[in-house]
Amino acid sequence: MKDEDPTAEFLDSVRTDEETPWRHDRPAGEPAPERAERPERWGRTRAAGRAAAQAAPYLQAAALVAWLASGAFDDGSGNQSG
């Protein structure tokens, strides 16, 4: 008994011997047209996200230092009201 590959059978059934028409539109040797420039849709948002990601460790360190300092300067009276 031979193991048959259903994917290979499917590909054999859908393949054609002729080339697709869009491959014949441009004569051989002619360079492909350049892609149109698209404006960056999310450029500022991505730049802000990258800046936030780069600053995050410093912000976390500053928050930790502030938290530790607030505990160090606590007088220990236990009075939590203003």
Side-chain angles (χ1 to χ4, degrees):
M1 182 166 179
K2 181 181 170 187
D3 290 335
E4 295 183 11
D5 184 8
T7 305
E9 290 177 13
F10 171 76
L11 290 175
D12 287 338
S13 69
V14 296
R15 282 193 182 115
T16 60
D17 291 334
E18 61 189 52
E19 223 175 322
T20 55
W22 57 267
R23 293 186 182 194
H24 296 288
D25 291 344
R26 188 178 33 179
E30 184 179 323
E34 301 227 0
R35 294 185 68 160
E37 287 288 325
R38 291 185 357 175
E40 184 65 35
R41 191 170 173 189
W42 298 100
R44 291 182 183 173
T45 306
R46 286 185 182 159
R50 282 192 293 269
Q54 290 174 349
Y58 301 107
L59 294 174
Q60 289 174 343
L64 177 63
V65 168
W67 178 70
L68 291 174
S70 69
F73 294 118
D74 187 16
D75 62 359
S77 66
N79 186 1
Q80 296 295 323
S81 62

